[in-house]
Amino acid sequence: MRDIRALRAYIADELRQRREEGFDTAELEERFKSAGESLEELERIAEGIGSLRMREDFPYDEPSTLQEIRERRPDGPRVLKERFREDLLYDKILGGWLGRCAGCALGKPVEGWHKSRIEEYLRLAGAYPLDYYFPVITPIPEGFPKSLRDHGCMRGRIKWMERDDDIDYTILALHILESRGINFTTEDVGREWLDHLPYHMVYTAERAAYRNLVMGLRPPETATYMNPYREWIGAQIRADCWGYVTPGCPELAAELAFRDASLSHVKNGIYGEMFVAAMISAAFAVEDVEEIIRIGLSEIPEGSRLAEAIRDVLSWRRICRSWEEAWERIERKYGSYHPVHTINNAALVVMALLYGEGDFAKTVSIAVMGGWDTDCNGATAGSVIGVLLGARKIPEEWVKPFNDTIRSCVIGFDMSRITDLASRTLKIAESILESRG
C-alpha cells in the first residue's frame, strides 16, 4: 500500500481493532504516533501488526469457528417448536419484513447521529419522545442537514421502503436460499455477492470482503485480510432472513447466520448475526421478550464481550426505571466502540426490546432514539418485535406508507412487493420445517 493517507487510516483502524480483540498494541501505537509521513516506517508498523500477541490479562474467550462457538455457548433450547399453522406463520414472517422496513425507515434520516442530537431535533419539532416517523421542520434548523427536507423516509414523504443495505441483505439472503438451498456454503454467499451486489453499495467489512473475493481469497481469509471492520455491525444486519425461515429453531438459525457472517467477520461480528437470527427464530414460538433475548444469548459464547454486554443490559433493566437511564450505562461502558460496531449497537437493540414492552412503536422508537447506527438498530428491533406480534398487530400507519414496495440494489429485486417476499420466505420456511420432520 503506497498511499500514505490510506495506509495511516488502515493502521489506525487495525490497531484499534486489535486492541479491542485483546492484543498488546502499546508499542506499535507509540511508534505510529511518531511515524509521521514516513512511508517506510508505516509499512514496517503494518507488517508488525500480524505479529502482535494477546494480552495475558484479556478475560474473554472468543473463537470464530462454529464448533468452538457451540462448545462455549451456555445451555439453551435448540428447538422450540416445529409446527405452525400456515396463516400464523405467514403473518409472523410478514410482520418481520414489515417491522424491519418500518424500523429501518424510522432510523434512516438520522443514521450516525448521537442520542443528544436526535433529541435536540425532536424537541425543536415538538416530537419528543419519538413515536412515529421523523417530522420535517421548515426551514431545517441551523446545524442540521438540509437534505432532511427532501428525505424519502421523513413523515409525509414515504411512498415505498427506500433502498438500504439493511434491506438489501435480507433480500439477498432470500435469494441465496432460493437458489442454493439450506445447505448453502460461505463460498456460495460470496458468489452471490459478486453476482448480485454492486461493489459501491456495500460498506466497511462487506466492502473489504468483496475486494478480497475479487482478489481470489477464500473464506475465512476474506474476513481477516486488510479488514479492520471485522467486528462491526455489517453481519448483524444480515441476520433476519435466517431467522424468518427457521421458526422455532434458534440453533439452526444461528448456524445459517454463522455461514453468512464468516465471509466478512470474526468473533463478535459473527456472534451479532447469530444472536439476532436466533432471537428472530425464537420470536415465532415465545411471547416473552426477555426469554427471546436469552434464547439468542444461548447461541453465542458466554465468555465473549457481546454476551457480557447483553447480560449487562438484562441486569440494568431491573434497576433502571427508564430506557434513558439504561442508555447512560451503555454509553459509559460501551460508548468507546465505533458508532457502527456490533457490541454497542446490539446493546441498544436489547435495551429497546426490553423497554418497548411488546409495543411496536415504542420499541422501534427507543431503538432509534438511542443513536449510533439508527437505521440498523431500528430495523433489527422492528424485525424481532414484528415477528413476535405478527403483521396484523403492527399499527397500519407504520406500514401503509410503503405501498407494499421495496427499492433495492440487489439485481433483479428492485421494486419488489413486500407481501411477495414474505410469501417466498414462507415457502422456504415450510420446506425447512418439513425436512426436519
Side-chain angles (χ1 to χ4, degrees):
M1 185 183 291
R2 306 301 294 178
D3 184 323
I4 289 180
R5 180 180 297 180
L7 182 56
R8 285 190 61 85
Y10 165 71
I11 291 172
D13 287 341
E14 184 61 36
L15 285 174
R16 178 178 183 174
Q17 171 61 30
R18 297 274 177 156
R19 184 172 65 251
E20 291 169 351
E21 286 183 89
F23 288 91
D24 184 355
T25 62
E27 180 183 347
L28 280 186
E29 293 195 79
E30 285 302 314
R31 285 175 57 187
F32 182 55
K33 288 178 184 177
S34 58
E37 300 299 307
S38 169
L39 179 60
E40 292 75 15
E41 174 64 0
L42 289 172
E43 288 179 335
R44 284 192 292 268
I45 293 170
E47 290 173 2
I49 289 175
S51 301
L52 290 173
R53 296 174 178 267
M54 293 288 289
R55 300 196 325 263
E56 292 184 2
D57 62 345
F58 190 67
Y60 303 101
D61 184 12
E62 300 177 331
S64 294
T65 68
L66 183 60
Q67 180 178 339
E68 291 176 305
I69 289 169
R70 286 180 167 174
E71 288 171 353
R72 289 161 174 79
R73 64 184 175 176
D75 292 337
R78 308 308 175 197
V79 177
L80 299 162
K81 187 178 180 181
E82 291 190 346
R83 287 290 178 269
F84 297 87
R85 291 198 332 264
E86 182 175 313
D87 60 335
L88 176 63
L89 196 56
Y90 174 76
D91 184 57
K92 285 183 171 290
I93 288 172
L94 180 59
W97 277 100
L98 292 172
R100 184 158 187 76
C101 289
C104 181
L106 181 66
K108 196 169 172 64
V110 296
E111 181 178 3
W113 291 23
H114 190 267
K115 171 182 176 291
S116 58
R117 193 179 190 209
I118 293 171
E119 182 174 343
E120 180 185 0
Y121 181 88
L122 288 171
R123 289 193 182 279
L124 288 172
Y128 188 85
L130 184 66
D131 61 1
Y132 192 53
Y133 297 109
F134 279 79
V136 177
I137 304 175
T138 306
I140 301 297
E142 191 67 31
F144 293 94
K146 303 304 179 185
S147 59
L148 291 178
R149 180 181 53 209
D150 302 311
H151 197 292
C153 290
M154 300 293 279
R155 189 182 303 183
R157 301 268 196 272
I158 300 172
K159 54 185 177 181
W160 46 52
M161 177 63 225
E162 295 283 348
R163 181 265 151 187
D164 192 277
D165 58 340
D166 292 83
I167 309 300
D168 287 336
Y169 287 115
T170 314
I171 290 172
L172 186 62
L174 174 61
H175 168 71
I176 290 169
L177 288 163
E178 288 181 328
S179 61
R180 304 280 182 170
I182 191 176
N183 295 317
F184 72 89
T185 65
T186 305
E187 287 82 359
D188 290 333
V189 175
R191 293 185 192 100
E192 295 300 339
W193 281 22
L194 296 177
D195 288 345
H196 285 84
L197 283 178
Y199 176 73
H200 68 285
M201 303 299 274
V202 301
Y203 316 103
T204 63
E206 284 69 29
R207 180 167 289 190
Y210 198 123
R211 176 206 63 213
N212 291 341
L213 286 166
V214 173
M215 291 170 56
L217 301 183
R218 299 180 61 188
E221 194 176 5
T222 48
T224 56
Y225 180 73
M226 297 287 287
N227 181 9
Y229 319 113
R230 56 190 176 270
E231 286 193 302
W232 287 19
I233 202 172
Q236 187 162 282
I237 71 171
R238 300 178 351 227
D240 298 62
C241 198
W242 317 125
Y244 297 162
V245 300
T246 56
C249 304
E251 181 180 54
L252 180 57
E255 178 183 338
L256 301 184
F258 170 85
R259 288 188 230 152
D260 179 72
S262 55
L263 180 68
S264 55
H265 286 71
V266 302
K267 301 179 182 180
N268 294 277
I270 292 174
Y271 311 155
E273 184 166 355
M274 296 177 73
F275 169 66
V276 172
M279 279 202 299
I280 291 171
S281 174
F284 281 89
V286 173
E287 294 185 356
D288 180 76
V289 168
E290 182 170 336
E291 185 180 354
I292 289 170
I293 294 166
R294 292 192 181 278
I295 290 170
L297 190 58
S298 75
E299 292 296 336
I300 66 174
E302 57 185 339
S304 64
R305 285 168 283 150
L306 178 59
E308 178 181 73
I310 294 163
R311 291 193 299 266
D312 279 344
V313 180
L314 286 166
S315 66
W316 294 336
R317 178 65 179 94
R318 291 175 170 78
I319 58 178
C320 297
R321 292 170 296 177
S322 67
W323 72 265
E324 291 93 343
E325 290 180 36
W327 182 93
E328 292 288 346
R329 290 175 181 258
I330 294 170
E331 165 76 330
R332 282 197 297 270
K333 187 166 182 179
Y334 299 107
S336 62
Y337 284 107
H338 192 279
V340 295
H341 200 280
T342 295
I343 293 172
N344 49 353
N345 285 288
L348 291 189
V349 169
V350 171
M351 176 194 75
L353 290 169
L354 291 170
Y355 286 89
E357 299 176 323
D359 180 275
F360 181 83
K362 192 175 178 182
T363 298
V364 294
S365 295
I366 291 173
V368 169
M369 286 189 290
W372 295 329
D373 208 339
T374 51
D375 60 329
C376 296
N377 296 339
T380 298
S383 191
V384 176
I385 193 67
V387 170
L388 175 62
L389 295 174
R392 287 191 289 266
K393 292 184 180 179
I394 297 177
E396 184 181 16
E397 64 267 21
W398 281 92
V399 299
K400 188 175 181 180
F402 297 132
N403 292 303
D404 194 26
T405 304
I406 289 178
R407 303 301 309 268
S408 177
C409 76
V410 179
I411 294 172
F413 284 88
D414 192 26
M415 301 300 287
S416 292
R417 294 291 181 188
I418 301 173
T419 49
D420 178 56
L421 295 173
S423 295
R424 292 163 68 171
T425 307
L426 172 66
K427 184 177 180 180
I428 295 171
E430 289 181 323
S431 69
I432 289 175
L433 293 179
E434 183 179 351
S435 70
R436 291 174 64 86

